[in-house]
Amino acid sequence: KDPEFKKMYEDSAFEFEIIKEIIRVRAQKKLTQRELAEKIGVPQSALARFEAGRTNPTLSFLKKVTGGLGLKLVVK
């Protein structure tokens, strides 16, 4: 009901869709956060913050994560 909250939620929807899909693929591949983090060379805590939506990742970080999952990051 709060218009400010609604706008914030709508503005974040794109980011949360990306995160949700990355988590889905990671789970599908049966990788833990720790396993994926080790594979891509980042701390597990950084991956956890990203998956929780508590950080604004760089394109470089997104490329590492998607590459580690065998996905291709395409920006249009």
Side-chain angles (χ1 to χ4, degrees):
K1 294 182 180 185
D2 181 348
E4 189 174 318
F5 178 81
K6 183 179 178 183
K7 179 169 176 16
M8 232 174 63
Y9 178 81
E10 289 170 352
D11 289 348
S12 300
F14 175 72
E15 288 89 350
F16 286 120
E17 284 300 313
I18 292 171
I19 293 168
K20 187 170 80 171
E21 185 64 13
I22 285 172
I23 293 169
R24 185 191 69 74
V25 172
R26 180 178 61 75
Q28 181 182 38
K29 293 182 179 270
K30 297 182 178 14
L31 288 171
T32 65
Q33 283 182 347
R34 183 170 308 284
E35 290 168 333
L36 179 57
E38 287 175 4
K39 183 176 181 177
I40 64 174
V42 301
Q44 182 270 332
S45 59
L47 187 57
R49 282 190 303 275
F50 164 69
E51 287 189 359
R54 294 190 321 249
T55 185
N56 190 6
T58 62
L59 282 176
S60 175
F61 184 84
L62 284 173
K63 188 176 176 183
K64 281 183 184 180
V65 173
T66 55
L69 292 171
L71 303 172
K72 183 177 179 182
L73 178 64
V74 177
V75 180
K76 291 184 179 184

